[in-house]
C-alpha cells in the first residue's frame, strides 16, 4: 500500500512527524555491535565480526537519510542548525566521557612515545578526522592496532563526514529532487566501483577513507528515500528477512580479516542489512527475534558499548599482555558492557531528554571539544610526559623511543639505474663514494653512519630494505612479510646488481645485515616466531640443504662479483642478539611493576656471551673466511657491547638496544667511530 507523496509547497511550515520507533533496528544494532565486540575480544568463530561496522553504516544512512528527506519534503528545506544540534546531543556527551576516562587510564599505563601518539589521536578523534590519521599509520588488522586506544573512532569519523556531505547535497539540490536522487545514485555507484577496484591495491585507503565507504551509508540513504517516496511500511516478505539475516551472519562468520576487505566482500553485509531494514516491520520470526528484549537492550546501549569496548580491549591487553583464556576475555567483555550501560543510563539518556537550550548544548559541545583538543596538544607537545615514571624505568623508556631518524634527504629516482628504489644520502653533499647496503640494521645504524661520513667529509648512499639480505642470487619467504614484499626484495636486489656497474663514483661498499636470522631461518627469544626461508633466485628449492650453507655459497659468489666493482668491501659483524630483550616490553614491565593483574616480567637485558656466539657462529663463518683471505674487512662491535662473559642491552645507564637485535640511535652514535675506516677510504688519493 502506498500513500500520496507530500510536496514541499503543501506543508511549508509543518515539521515532519517523528519516525516511528522500530525495535527491529535496535535488534540489528545489537547484532552489529556484538559482532564487533566479540571479534575484538578475540573469541573464536567470528573472523568477520568487524563487518558489524558496515551494518552500522547502512543503519546510519537509513535513519539520517530518512530524517533529512522527510524534513525536506515537509518543510521544503533542511534546518542544518537543528540537525547538528541533534547530532551533538546524541553523540558528543558519551564520547567526551569515554575520551576523558581513557586518557586518565592511558596516562597511568602508556609509555611516553605511545602517550604522545595518543595525544595526536585524541585531537584527530575530537575533530572527526581519526580515519585519515589511521589511514596514514598502520592498518586496522595489524598487531600494532592493539596499542591505539582510540582506533575505533575511525568509523565515527566516517559517519561525521557523512553528516556533513549529505545535508550539503540536499541543500545544493534543494529545488531539484530528480537531480538530487540521480546524483546520490551516481555517487553510490562511483564509491562502490572505487572500493572494488582499489581495494586490491590500496586496502588501507579503501578501509578507512570516507569516499570508499560512502556507498555503504548511501545504501541506507537511498533505501530511506525510496521508502519515503513510495510510502513503504517496511513489512515486506519473511523470505527476504531470512535472506538478509543469512547474509549478515555469513559476513560475520565467513569473511576473513585482511587486505581484501572492503571491496566486493563488503557487499555481503551491506545487502543483508538493506534487506533486513526493508522488511523489518513484517510479522515474521526474524523480526520478532530482533525485537525481543535482549537484542533491544544491546541495541539501545550499542553506541556506548562501541565507544567503551575498544579502550577496555587495548588497555587490558596492554596491562596483561594477553588473556589467559576465554573466561578472562569474557570478564573484560562484561566490564565493557557494564561501562556501556552506565554511559547509556547516566550520560546518553539524561542529555537526550534534558531540555537544554541550543546555546547551552552548543556551548557545552564546544567546551568539551576545546578541553580534549587542549589535552591532546599538551600530551603531544609534552612528548608523552616522560616524568610520569620512576628512574629505573627511564632507560628502557628512552630506548623504546630512540628509533626515529631524519630521512628527509631520501628520494626515489624516477629514472636512472636506481629508478623506483628509495635512496638516502648520508654525509656531506656530493657524488656518493660509499654505498651502504643492507636490511633494517642499516636503518638502526643510520645516525652513526651519517656522523662518520660527515666527520670524514665523504658522501655516502644508503640502500636498505627490511628483512632483505644484501646478497645476490637469493629470494626469501618471510612470515612477517607479504608475498608482494618478498617479491619486492628479490626485484630490488636484482636491480641493485644490474645498477652497480652504472654507478662509477661508488668505490667502497659496506654490507650490514641480520646474518644470524638469514642463516638459521628464524628469530630468537622474543621474536622467535619470525621465520625466513631463503631459496636460490635462479633455480628450484634445494631439498635437504641447510639454509646456512646456501647463504654461505651466495655470500662467496656475491663478494667475488662485488670485488670486480668495488675497491674495498666492509662487512659489519652483526651485533650480538639479546634474545630476551625488547625495550618497549621491558619499559612496560618496569612501569607496571606492582600493578594488580600486570603481566609477569619476561624480558632480560643481557645474554651470556657464549650463547650469543653460538647463535651467530653459522652466519659468521663465511664472512670470517673471506676476511682471513683478505677479500673483505670485518667491523666488530662486540667488544663495545659485551664483556668477557656477558653482552648487555644497557650501557652506562642508557639503552643501546631497541629490541633483541636492533640498536638504538644512542648506540649508533656511540659506535660511529667503528665506521671511520669505511669513509676514510679514498681510492683517488
Amino acid at each position: 500500500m502506498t500513500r500520496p507523496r507530500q510536496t514541499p509547497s503543501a506543508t511549508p511550515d509543518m515539521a515532519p512527524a517523528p519516525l516511528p520507533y522500530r525495535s527491529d533496528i535496535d535488534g540489528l544494532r545489537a547484532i552489529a555491535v556484538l559482532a564487533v565486540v566479540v571479534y575484538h575480544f578475540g573469541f573464536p568463530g567470528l573472523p568477520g565480526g568487524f563487518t558489524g561496522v558496515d551494518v552500522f553504516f547502512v543503519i546510519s544512512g537509513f535513519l539520517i537519510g530518512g530524517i533529512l528527506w522527510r524534513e525536506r519534503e515537509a518543510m521544503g528545506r533542511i534546518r542544518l542548525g537543528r540537525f547538528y544540534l541533534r547530532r551533538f546531543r546524541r553523540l558528543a556527551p558519551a564520547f567526551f566521557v569515554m575520551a576523558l576516562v581513557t586518557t586518565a587510564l592511558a596516562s597511568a599505563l602508556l609509555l611516553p612515545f605511545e602517550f604522545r601518539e595518543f595525544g595526536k589521536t585524541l585531537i584527530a578523534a575530537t575533530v572527526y578526522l581519526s580515519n585519515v590519521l589511521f589511514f596514514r599509520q598502520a592498518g586496522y588488522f595489524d598487531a600494532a592496532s592493539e596499542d591505539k586506544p582510540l582506533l575505533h573512532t575511525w568509523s565515527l569519523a566516517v559517519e561525521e563526514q557523512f553528516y556533513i556531505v549529505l545535508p550539503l547535497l540536499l541543500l545544493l539540490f534543494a529545488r531539484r529532487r530528480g537531480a538530487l536522487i540521480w546524483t546520490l545514485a551516481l555517487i553510490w555507484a562511483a564509491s562502490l566501483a572505487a572500493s572494488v577496484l582499489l581495494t586490491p591495491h590500496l586496502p588501507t585507503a579503501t578501509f578507512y577513507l570516507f569516499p570508499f565507504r560512502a556507498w555503504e551509508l548511501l545504501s541506507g540513504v537511498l533505501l530511506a528515500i525510496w521508502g519515503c517516496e513510495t510510502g513503504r511500511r517496511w513489512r515486506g516478505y519473511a523470505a527476504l528477512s531470512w535472506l538478509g539475516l543469512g547474509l549478515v551472519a555469513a559476513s560475520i562468520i565467513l569473511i576473513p580479516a585482511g587486505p581484501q576487505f572492503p571491496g566486493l566482500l563488503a557487499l555481503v553485509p551491506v545487502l543483508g542489512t538493506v534487506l533486513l531494514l526493508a522488511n523489518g516491520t513484517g510479522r515474521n520470526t526474524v523480526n520478532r527475534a530482533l525485537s525481543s528484549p535482549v537484542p533491544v537492550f544491546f541495541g539501545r546501549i550499542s553506541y556506548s558499548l562501541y565507544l567503551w569496548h575498544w579502550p577496555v580491549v587495548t588497555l587490558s591487553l596492554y596491562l596483561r599482555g594477553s588473556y589467559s583464556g576465554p573466561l578472562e576475555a569474557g570478564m573484560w567483555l562484561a566490564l565493557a558492557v557494564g561501562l556501556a550501560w552506565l554511559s547509556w543510563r547516566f550520560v546518553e539518556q539524561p542529555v537526550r531528554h534534558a531540555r537544554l537550550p541550543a546555546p547551552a548544548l552548543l556551548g557545552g559541545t564546544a567546551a568539551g571539544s576545546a578541553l580534549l583538543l587542549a589535552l591532546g596538544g599538551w600530551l603531544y607537545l609534552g612528548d608523552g610526559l616522560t616524568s610520569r615514571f620512576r628512574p629505573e624505568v627511564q632507560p628502557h623508556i628512552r630506548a623504546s623511543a630512540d628509533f626515529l631518524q631524519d630521512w628527509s634527504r631520501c628520494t626515489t629516482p624516477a629514472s636512472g639505474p636506481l629508478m623506483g628504489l628509495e635512496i638516502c644520502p648520508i654525509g656531506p653533499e656530493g657524488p656518493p663514494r660509499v654505498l651502504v647496503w643492507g636490511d633494517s640494521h642499516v636503518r638502526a645504524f643510520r645516525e652513526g653512519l651519517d656522523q662518520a661520513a660527515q666527520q670524514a667529509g665523504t658522501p655516502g648512499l644508503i640502500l636498505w630494505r627490511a628483512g632483505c639480505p644484501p646478497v645476490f642470487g637469493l629470494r626469501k619467504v618471510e612470515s612477517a612479510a607479504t608475498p608482494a614484499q618478498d617479491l619486492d626484495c628479490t626485484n630490488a636486489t636484482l636491480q641493485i646488481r644490474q645498477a652497480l656497474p652504472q654507478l662509477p663514483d661508488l668505490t667502497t661498499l659496506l654490507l650490514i645485515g641480520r646474518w644470524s636470522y638469514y642463516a638459521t631461518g628464524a628469530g630468537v627469544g622474543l621474536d622467535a616466531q619470525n621465520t625466513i626461508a631463503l631459496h636460490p633466485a635462479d633455480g628450484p628449492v634445494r631439498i635437504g640443504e641447510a639454509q646456512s650453507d646456501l647463504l654461505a655459497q651466495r655470500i662467496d659468489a656475491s663478494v667475488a662479483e662485488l670485488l670486480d666493482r668495488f675497491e674495498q668491501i666492509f662487512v659489519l659483524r652483526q651485533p650480538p642478539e639479546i634474545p630476551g630483550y625488547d625495550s618497549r616490553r621491558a619499559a612496560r614491565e618496569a612501569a607496571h611493576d606492582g600493578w594488580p593483574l600486570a603481566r609477569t616480567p619476561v624480558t632480560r637485558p643481557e645474554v651470556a656471551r657464549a650463547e650469543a656466539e653460538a647463535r651467530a657462529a653459522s652466519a659468521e663463518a663465511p664472512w670470517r673466511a673471506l676476511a682471513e683471505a683478505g677479500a673483505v674487512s670485518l667491523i666488530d662491535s662486540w667488544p663495545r657491547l659485551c664483556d668477557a662473559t656477558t653482552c648487555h642491552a644497557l650501557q652506562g645507564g642508557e639503552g643501546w638496544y631497541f629490541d633483541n637485535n636492533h640498536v638504538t640511535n644512542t648506540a649508533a652514535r656511540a659506535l660511529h667511530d667503528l665506521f671511520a675506516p669505511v669513509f676514510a677510504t679514498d681510492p683517488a688519493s
Side-chain angles (χ1 to χ4, degrees):
M1 179 177 179
T2 61
R3 59 173 174 78
R5 178 177 54 79
Q6 293 178 320
T7 62
S9 58
T11 54
D13 298 312
M14 185 181 297
L19 290 171
Y21 171 68
R22 283 181 52 176
S23 55
D24 64 292
I25 292 181
D26 270 334
L28 188 52
R29 283 193 179 111
I31 292 176
V33 75
L34 290 176
V36 172
V37 169
V38 170
Y39 169 75
H40 283 154
F41 274 99
F43 288 95
L46 300 179
F50 58 89
T51 60
V53 172
D54 304 84
V55 176
F56 273 126
F57 283 158
V58 181
I59 294 174
S60 293
F62 179 74
L63 294 176
I64 299 304
I67 289 170
L68 291 175
W69 192 264
R70 285 161 60 87
E71 182 174 298
R72 178 188 184 279
E73 293 296 278
M75 304 187 65
R77 58 190 175 91
I78 301 295
R79 293 180 291 184
L80 280 181
R82 183 179 178 186
F83 170 75
Y84 287 120
L85 285 175
R86 287 198 304 264
R87 293 295 90 204
F88 293 154
R89 183 190 293 268
R90 172 76 176 89
L91 302 175
F95 169 77
F96 289 154
V97 173
M98 179 278 298
L100 288 171
V101 173
T102 301
T103 302
L105 291 172
S107 71
L109 289 171
L110 298 189
L111 300 181
F113 79 93
E114 296 162 333
F115 203 34
R116 178 179 183 271
E117 288 303 300
F118 177 87
K120 187 193 300 184
T121 62
L122 184 61
I123 294 171
T126 303
V127 297
Y128 295 105
L129 288 174
S130 57
N131 62 325
V132 178
L133 175 65
F134 293 128
F135 154 67
R136 301 178 64 179
Q137 298 176 348
Y140 179 81
F141 300 111
D142 294 345
S145 66
E146 292 182 355
D147 292 338
K148 301 174 182 177
L150 298 179
L151 177 65
H152 64 317
T153 61
W154 76 268
S155 65
L156 305 181
V158 170
E159 290 200 25
E160 288 295 331
Q161 291 156 20
F162 161 72
Y163 297 152
I164 294 172
V165 172
L166 180 63
L168 292 180
L169 283 173
L170 293 176
L171 288 175
L172 183 63
F173 293 93
R175 300 182 181 277
R176 302 167 63 189
R177 177 188 292 105
L180 173 59
I181 294 174
W182 276 108
T183 299
L184 293 174
L186 288 173
I187 295 174
W188 176 90
S191 174
L192 173 58
S195 178
V196 171
L197 293 174
L198 294 181
T199 290
H201 310 288
L202 300 169
T204 306
T206 56
F207 188 92
Y208 280 117
L209 299 184
F210 170 70
F212 306 105
R213 294 291 195 156
W215 71 273
E216 300 184 34
L217 293 142
L218 286 173
S219 295
V221 172
L222 292 171
L223 176 65
I225 292 175
W226 174 71
C228 291
E229 292 292 293
T230 60
R232 305 299 299 180
R233 296 185 178 180
W234 310 115
R235 292 176 179 172
Y237 303 93
L240 294 179
S241 291
W242 279 106
L243 177 59
L245 183 62
L247 290 172
V248 171
S251 67
I252 294 170
I253 296 171
L254 299 177
I255 289 179
Q260 62 270 43
F261 191 87
L264 278 173
L265 291 176
L267 282 167
V268 181
V270 170
L271 178 57
T273 306
V274 167
L275 290 174
L276 285 168
L277 291 172
N279 300 275
T281 63
R283 295 183 177 181
N284 60 58
T285 304
V286 172
N287 293 331
R288 284 196 296 271
L290 292 175
S291 300
S292 57
V294 173
V296 167
F297 166 76
F298 281 102
R300 286 177 173 172
I301 69 167
S302 60
Y303 175 59
S304 281
L305 182 54
Y306 184 79
L307 282 179
W308 282 100
H309 87 281
W310 185 246
V312 172
V313 169
T314 55
L315 296 178
S316 63
L317 285 174
Y318 192 92
L319 179 65
R320 298 282 291 140
S322 62
Y323 298 141
S324 59
L327 179 60
E328 183 184 350
M331 294 173 64
W332 289 108
L333 191 156
L335 174 62
V337 172
L339 291 171
W341 182 83
L342 290 172
S343 173
W344 173 78
R345 175 65 180 81
F346 296 106
V347 180
E348 282 193 69
Q349 290 296 96
V351 174
R352 184 179 298 182
H353 298 296
R355 294 186 176 180
L356 296 174
L361 185 58
L362 185 60
T365 302
S369 299
L371 174 61
L372 294 183
L373 291 173
L375 189 57
W378 177 48
L379 301 181
Y380 184 75
L381 296 175
D383 211 22
L385 310 183
T386 304
S387 60
R388 291 175 292 134
F389 297 104
R390 303 185 306 275
E392 58 267 29
V393 187
Q394 297 297 335
H396 303 293
I397 287 177
R398 288 193 291 270
S400 71
D402 194 18
F403 63 94
L404 297 175
Q405 298 132 344
D406 180 11
W407 295 94
S408 59
R409 294 177 66 187
C410 297
T411 60
T412 302
S415 60
L418 297 176
M419 178 179 63
L421 299 180
E422 184 181 53
I423 60 174
C424 301
I426 55 174
E429 297 292 340
R433 300 285 248 343
V434 176
L435 173 63
V436 182
W437 177 29
D439 57 16
S440 58
H441 282 219
V442 173
R443 181 210 59 76
F445 276 101
R446 187 257 173 213
E447 291 202 1
L449 292 165
D450 186 53
Q451 189 172 348
Q454 293 284 3
Q455 289 181 355
T458 303
L461 183 68
I462 283 177
L463 290 172
W464 74 279
R465 191 174 293 262
C468 190
V471 178
F472 297 144
L474 289 174
R475 64 179 178 86
K476 58 107 172 179
V477 178
E478 190 177 11
S479 61
T482 65
Q485 289 170 329
D486 289 335
L487 181 60
D488 285 345
C489 170
T490 303
N491 292 339
T493 302
L494 177 60
Q495 184 176 352
I496 291 169
R497 186 180 197 174
Q498 296 171 341
L500 290 178
Q502 304 176 57
L503 302 170
D505 290 331
L506 295 172
T507 58
T508 302
L509 174 66
L510 170 61
L511 299 175
I512 298 178
R514 189 183 180 187
W515 309 115
S516 58
Y517 180 50
Y518 304 132
T520 63
V524 65
L526 295 180
D527 84 322
Q529 76 282 358
N530 292 325
T531 62
I532 186 167
L534 301 182
H535 306 290
D538 53 357
V541 175
R542 297 186 181 181
I543 306 299
E545 181 179 26
Q547 186 156 301
S548 58
D549 292 339
L550 173 62
L551 178 63
Q553 293 167 12
R554 295 308 191 199
I555 286 174
D556 289 342
S558 298
V559 170
E561 181 176 337
L562 289 166
L563 282 172
D564 292 334
R565 171 64 188 80
F566 292 96
E567 299 186 15
Q568 248 187 320
I569 298 176
F570 291 86
V571 178
L572 177 66
R573 184 187 183 193
Q574 180 191 333
E577 293 178 322
I578 302 181
Y581 188 71
D582 180 278
S583 61
R584 293 159 297 183
R585 190 176 299 191
R588 291 176 185 179
E589 290 174 355
H592 303 158
D593 183 38
W595 274 66
L597 303 177
R599 72 179 79 188
T600 302
V602 297
T603 59
R604 290 176 54 237
E606 67 280 320
V607 64
R609 182 163 183 159
E611 180 183 338
E613 288 175 339
R615 160 78 175 173
S618 63
E620 292 183 349
W623 295 119
R624 290 189 181 279
L626 288 166
E628 291 172 1
V632 302
S633 299
L634 278 178
I635 298 174
D636 190 359
S637 64
W638 286 53
R640 308 274 283 276
L641 298 167
C642 308
D643 55 34
T645 61
T646 310
C647 300
H648 304 273
L650 302 179
Q651 301 283 340
E654 291 297 324
W656 278 32
Y657 276 71
F658 175 73
D659 55 22
N660 67 2
N661 65 96
H662 292 94
V663 299
T664 60
N665 293 332
T666 296
R669 290 190 296 268
L671 298 173
H672 80 277
D673 57 292
L674 295 177
F675 302 112
V678 177
F679 296 96
T681 302
D682 189 356
S685 62

